């Protein structure tokens, strides 16, 4: 009886998709958003360093990205430029900040200039559970 050769897979198997990727330099805010989204049934990946964003994005393949506008001494422009440079489909972006609404408006204009869909802007000091509504509004179905 002949032995059948099993072909080798030349490309890695796809990793499970993450519903939501959060970038926030404040670990407390990251934990809060993660907890709220987990309770709503979403899979979440949270990072605190914008230097690691591109790698985390490629690994998690999120349905929605939540980005803090002010990241320590950096702002979100590099992250928005990266997201704008990705092939379609581009993921919706939710922009958050603990600062003035004018900062959020500037970030929203930057995101739109990069061709991104802004799913919402969110001032952190207001009702944090609203973040779940913003994710739901963009038809992300929990894993």
């Amino acid at each position: 009886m002949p032995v059948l050769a099993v072909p080798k897979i030349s490309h890695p198997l796809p990793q499970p998709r993450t519903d939501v990727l959060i970038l926030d330099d404040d670990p407390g805010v990251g934990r809060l958003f993660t907890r709220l989204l987990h309770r709503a049934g979403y899979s979440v990946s949270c990072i605190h360093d914008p230097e690691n964003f591109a790698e985390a994005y490629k690994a998690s393949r999120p349905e929605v990205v939540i980005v803090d506008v002010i990241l320590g001494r950096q702002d979100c422009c590099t992250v928005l430029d990266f997201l704008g440079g990705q092939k379609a489909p581009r993921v919706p972006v939710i922009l958050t900040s603990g600062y003035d609404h004018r900062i959020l408006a500037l970030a929203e204009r930057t995101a739109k200039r990069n061709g991104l869909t802004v799913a919402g802007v969110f001032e952190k000091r207001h009702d944090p559970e609203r973040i779940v509504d913003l994710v739901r509004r963009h038809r992300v179905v929990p894993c």
Side-chain angles (χ1 to χ4, degrees):
M1 178 174 232
V3 176
L4 296 175
V6 177
K8 290 185 179 180
I9 297 174
S10 61
H11 59 310
L13 296 174
Q15 297 298 312
R17 188 176 195 117
T18 299
D19 293 326
V20 183
L21 175 61
I22 300 170
L23 172 60
D24 198 304
D25 63 326
D26 182 337
V29 170
R31 281 191 303 271
L32 174 63
F33 287 172
T34 298
R35 187 172 56 247
L36 291 170
L37 291 164
H38 271 245
R39 270 194 224 146
Y42 294 100
S43 63
V44 180
S45 181
C46 183
I47 61 169
H48 307 294
D49 185 352
E51 298 291 322
N52 300 328
F53 181 80
E55 183 180 334
Y57 177 85
K58 290 173 185 175
S60 64
R61 303 177 0 243
E63 297 270 338
V64 172
V65 175
I66 299 171
V67 180
D68 184 12
V69 173
I70 305 294
L71 298 159
R73 294 177 293 195
Q74 297 183 22
D75 60 30
C76 65
C77 290
T78 303
V79 170
L80 297 176
D81 289 345
F82 168 80
L83 289 171
Q86 298 306 294
K87 295 178 184 175
R90 291 187 179 147
V91 300
V93 177
I94 297 171
L95 301 167
T96 68
S97 180
Y99 292 94
D100 189 281
H101 68 281
R102 292 174 290 190
I103 300 289
L104 283 166
L106 178 62
E108 183 175 14
R109 285 193 300 274
T110 301
K112 288 179 179 177
R113 195 170 41 246
N114 277 299
L116 299 172
T117 298
V118 177
V121 293
F122 180 74
E123 289 185 50
K124 293 179 196 177
R125 64 180 170 243
H126 299 142
D127 182 20
E129 293 188 6
R130 182 168 172 256
I131 202 75
V132 175
D133 294 333
L134 289 172
V135 170
R136 275 193 190 125
R137 205 173 292 158
H138 275 269
R139 298 186 183 100
V140 177
V141 179
C143 289

